[in-house]
Amino acid sequence: MDSPLIPAIDLSSATADTGFSDDEFEVDDFVLNQIEHEESESGGSAASSVGMSMERTFKDTVHDYITLDHRICRIIDTPHFQRLRHIQQLGTSSYVWPVATHTRFAHCLGVAHLANKLIQTLQKKQPELRITDEDVFCVTAAGLCHDLGHGPWSRVWDSMFIPAALPGKKWRHEDASEMMFDALTKLDHVRVSEREAIIVKALIAGEVSRCSAMKPPVKPFLFEIIANKRNGLDVDKFDYIARDNHAIGQGENISLDRLIISARVINNEICYDIKDANTLLELCWARFSLHKRIYNHKSAKAVEHMLIDGLLAAEPIMKIAEQIEDPSRYLYLTDDIKARIQSTTNPELAHARSILLRIDLRKLYKCVDFRTWPWHLRGFFRERVTPASIVVASRRYADEHAEYGSVKLDRAIVESLREEHVIVDVSEMHYGMKEKNPLRFVKFYSKKHPDRATHAESGDISQIMPAIFAEFLSRIYTREDKCIVLISPLLYPALDQAFLSVPRYYGIIQAGYRQLIKDLHEGESLSLDSPTLSPATSDDGPVLGSGLGGPHPRCIAGNSHSRSLSRVTSTRLTPDEDNTQVDGFGQNNFTTVPPDYRGDESP
C-alpha cells in the first residue's frame, strides 16, 4: 500500500544554496561575512559601509530587470519561498491557455519589485514622510511573501478544497502565509528582527491595528501598498493584472510606472494625480475583465471541480487537508499533488485516479447552462439554487410534461438523477470593491494643489462611467461525460468503471434548472424586499453551491414583502431597440437543448 504521508524534514540548518539560475550579482564569502558581522554589531544594514551593495538582479518578462537587496534575497533562498515555483499563478487556466504557466514565484518577485519601487519613490519625492530603511525592507518583504501560503492551484485550494474538506474551518491562504513566514525566519541565514516580522505580517494582512501600540509607530500609509483595504488599489493587483494579461497574450496598455510616479501620500493616504483617474478606472476594468474572460472560463472551472473531486476522493486516505497547520508538511503541498495521486497503486485511491485521468483525456465535466445575474441576488442564488433543488425540479418537470405527452423522457434516467450528478458554480466578478465604484474610495490631487487631496466627481473623470460594478455568473455542470474509450488494463488496472459511461443527464439537468428558475420568477413562495435576503448573502459564503441546500422554494412559507423576483429585468441588445427591458429570468437561448439531450449528438 502506498504511503500517503509526506515526511517532515528539519530545516533549521538549511543553507541559502538553491541552485538559482537567474542573473546574479553577488559578493564573495569574505564580504558576506563582514556585512553579517557589522549588521550584528550595529543592528542595521552594513552593506553601504563596505562600499558595495549586495544585490541580485532577475530578468522578468513584465518588469524587465528586477533588483533586490541581500536581505530580501535571503528570504528568496529558502525552501518556503522556492516552493512557489511549483504553484501556477492562474491555477487551471493553462488547460485553456497553454502558455499561462507562470508561477506564484514570479508574481511575488514582481510584487516585491513594485512595492520596493513605490516606497523608494515616495521616500525620494516626499522626504518629509521620513521613510526609513526599516519601512523599505518591511514593505518589500511583505510584497515578496504575501502569497507564501497559497496551496495547490492557488485559489482553488482555499476557496474550494479546504471549505469542502474541513467544513466550518476558518482558514485563508493569508493564514498560511504568516505560518510559512514565521517558519522561514527561524532559518539561520535569514535576518528578520521580531519587530520587522510583526510589521511584515501586518502589512500582508493589511491590518494597521496590529501595529497600533508599536513604538516608534508604523506609518499608516504603508498598509495601502500591499493589501489596500480602503480602495483595493495596491501593487499586488498592479502586478497580477499586468502579468496575467501578458501570459495569455492580451496585454493591457496600462503604465504601472506612471501610477507609481503619480502616487503621493497626503494625510496618511496614498493619493493619485487627477490626470491618472482614467488609468485607475482602466486598471479596475482590467481586473473585472480577467475574471470574466480568464479566471472563470467554463473549461478552467470544469477542471477546478474535477481536481477538487479528485482531492476529496483521496482525502480519507492521504489526509491532505490536515497538513495545512504544519509548515514542514505544507512545504510540499504544491500542484504536483495530482501527479502524486495518479502515481499511486492503492486500490482505495482508484476513484480519485479515475477522476484525474479524465482531465488528462480531456473528458471534462460539461456546462449545461449559464447566465449572469444582478450582484444583490448572489446570496439568494446560493441558498436556493442547489444540486438538491435542481434534482427536485427536474423530476417535477418530467412529471408535469409527461401528463401532456409534450416531452418524451426516459423515466429510469430521471429517477436515477442524484445530487452528485449536478454542480452549481457561482462566480463573483467586480471592479475590486464588490458592487461599489473603487474610485469613490480614492482621493486625488492636482499639480496646482499637490498637498490637497479630495474625492473626484463623475464630471472630473468621465460621463460614461459604468453604473454597475459587479455581477455574478452562474454555471450548471453535469459530472457525466461522453467517455467511452479503450484504455489498456495494463496501463490503468484500477480504472473506475463508472468512468466509462455515456452522459444521460445533460438535457434533464438543464430542464430542471430552468424549471427551478421559472418557479422563483413566478414568485409563488418567495419575494424580495431588499438585496439582503438571508444569512446566505454573507460575503463569507462559499464560492460554490454546497449541494446540501435547504428545502425547495415551493416548500418555503411566503412572506408579506411586496417586491417580487419577477421585477428583475435585463436589457435586450438589438440594433433597433436600444435599452429594451426584458425578463431578467429568461432562458439562455444560446445553450438551449432538448430535455432528452444526452450530449452524445449535436443539439
Side-chain angles (χ1 to χ4, degrees), residues 132 134-135 195 199 211-220 222-223:
T132 65
E134 177 188 80
D135 297 332
R195 173 184 164 90
I199 295 173
C211 302
S212 58
M214 294 185 103
K215 300 295 181 184
V218 181
K219 302 169 181 64
L222 298 180
F223 292 84

Side-chain angles (χ1 to χ4, degrees), residues 99-114:
V99 295
T101 56
H102 57 296
T103 63
R104 289 281 162 184
F105 182 92
H107 166 61
C108 286
L109 288 181
V111 175
H113 165 70
L114 292 177

Side-chain angles (χ1 to χ4, degrees), residues 168-188:
K169 184 174 182 61
K170 297 293 184 181
W171 186 91
R172 306 172 306 156
H173 75 268
E174 290 87 353
D175 301 324
S177 292
E178 293 193 28
M179 176 186 74
M180 298 297 276
F181 183 76
D182 285 338
L184 73 82
T185 58
K186 296 176 182 177
L187 301 181
D188 291 339

Side-chain angles (χ1 to χ4, degrees), residues 158-159 163 170-172 374-380 382 426-430 432-436 470-472 531-544:
D158 57 342
S159 66
K170 297 293 184 181
W171 186 91
R172 306 172 306 156
W375 175 260
H376 72 270
L377 292 179
R378 68 198 187 285
F380 157 77
R382 288 195 181 111
V426 177
S427 300
E428 297 181 356
M429 298 174 290
H430 52 83
M433 291 293 287
K434 295 184 168 51
E435 76 278 15
K436 299 173 183 176
E471 65 183 12
F472 74 90
T532 302
L533 298 171
S534 71
T537 60
S538 169
D539 290 331
D540 294 330
V543 173
L544 304 178

